[in-house]
Amino acid sequence: MKKLLVNVDHVATLRNARSEGYPDPVEAARICESHGAAGIVFHLREDRRHIKDADAWGLKEAVTGLLDFEMGATDEMLDICCRMKPQLCTLVPEKREEITTEGGLNMPLIMADYRSRVLPKLAEAGVPVSLFVEPSIRDMELCAELGVPVVELHTGTYANASDADKPRELKRLREAAERAHSLGIKVNAGHGLGFANIRPFLEEVPHLAEISIGHALMADAIMRGLPTSVSEMAALINEYN
């Protein structure tokens, strides 16, 4: 079953623009779950540019479905995550100068550190792990080598591709999903997906479980309302189950 997870980071972005107490990402999470979302995603960044620590703990208390804690694998974030114990921790690359996450983890570069420092700490705390990765056969095989049970395929390149390049990107995503599935790895996906591009993605890419959507839903919600945006996206995804 494909399920919608909603990223509420940009509710916090809007709140922080005026340093007001609203809109509240925790209340947004409640609305999303009551209108078809199977869970909530948040990214607690080192610079706290959107989600703050209080938001993260508020989401832990409020979310009734799956809570996916996205984070860079810093010692600080590992400590917070191990105390919080979310249902899923998705490890992502993070750079201070980026506007948003720009791609998947550099798997060959992080292998030794993740094997020795990162994954053992999360395993000891009982926190399930997902890696945010590029849709490549090699990266799926490296994830299997690490024993990671879940991957989140980076869909940003597909989302931003020209019409001429989209078939190539869908092929990469399809082949990566098939390889991950063959290795016993659960396949999630996210980044840049929205109403304008999700149907071809759902039609072409197999074995999908959780699909994370944030910015596009929040942008749509400004015009049409969060309940409408979330319920319509959840219904659209359900068409492909």
Side-chain angles (χ1 to χ4, degrees):
M1 290 284 291
K2 302 175 187 67
K3 297 177 181 179
L4 170 65
L5 302 185
V6 177
N7 186 311
V8 296
D9 290 352
H10 293 300
V11 178
T13 300
L14 181 58
R15 176 198 62 196
N16 297 347
R18 287 280 299 269
S19 299
E20 302 283 1
Y22 60 86
D24 179 7
V26 176
E27 182 58 28
R30 292 191 183 100
I31 294 170
C32 291
E33 286 199 296
S34 67
H35 287 84
I40 299 297
V41 183
F42 70 93
H43 184 172
L44 184 63
R45 296 182 68 107
E46 182 184 15
D47 61 12
R48 308 306 201 268
R49 67 176 61 171
H50 36 60
I51 294 292
K52 310 295 188 186
D53 294 61
D55 300 324
W57 288 102
L59 290 166
K60 170 64 175 175
E61 291 297 316
V63 171
T64 60
L66 188 146
L67 183 64
D68 183 359
F69 186 158
E70 285 190 356
M71 65 182 215
T74 64
D75 289 336
E76 179 196 23
M77 290 303 156
L78 287 169
D79 288 342
I80 294 171
C81 188
C82 288
R83 285 189 284 115
M84 182 178 291
K85 300 185 188 300
Q87 287 91 340
L88 186 65
C89 170
T90 298
L91 296 166
V92 302
E94 184 177 310
K95 295 181 289 187
R96 278 184 175 272
E97 65 273 17
E98 68 190 0
I99 295 174
T100 185
T101 305
E102 294 173 346
L105 292 162
N106 184 329
M107 288 300 298
L109 184 66
I110 60 93
M111 289 289 286
D113 179 45
Y114 274 43
R115 184 181 282 119
S116 63
R117 179 181 66 93
V118 178
L119 298 180
K121 184 160 187 175
L122 292 166
E124 183 180 0
V127 178
V129 174
S130 170
L131 300 188
F132 186 69
V133 291
E134 289 299 314
S136 78
I137 300 297
R138 179 201 65 171
D139 283 3
M140 301 308 103
E141 293 170 349
L142 290 175
C143 287
E145 187 179 324
L146 283 176
V148 173
V150 186
V151 295
E152 181 175 335
L153 299 179
H154 173 233
T155 54
T157 306
Y158 157 70
N160 294 320
S162 66
D163 288 345
D165 290 339
K166 272 185 166 53
R168 180 189 65 205
E169 295 304 323
L170 285 171
K171 181 174 184 288
R172 291 178 65 225
L173 287 159
R174 180 175 65 250
E175 290 174 348
E178 287 171 344
R179 184 59 178 141
H181 182 72
S182 75
L183 292 165
I185 299 173
K186 179 180 174 181
V187 181
N188 294 341
H191 202 81
L193 296 173
F195 287 106
N197 56 30
I198 195 166
R199 282 190 183 276
F201 172 74
L202 294 171
E203 289 167 358
E204 291 292 329
V205 182
H207 311 303
L208 294 168
E210 280 119 29
I211 300 164
S212 297
I213 306 179
H215 184 264
L217 272 182
M218 296 307 159
D220 186 77
I222 288 173
M223 303 301 180
R224 301 197 299 142
L226 191 56
T228 298
S229 299
V230 172
S231 60
E232 287 189 10
M233 181 60 76
L236 190 159
I237 290 172
N238 194 50
E239 289 179 24
Y240 292 85
N241 285 323

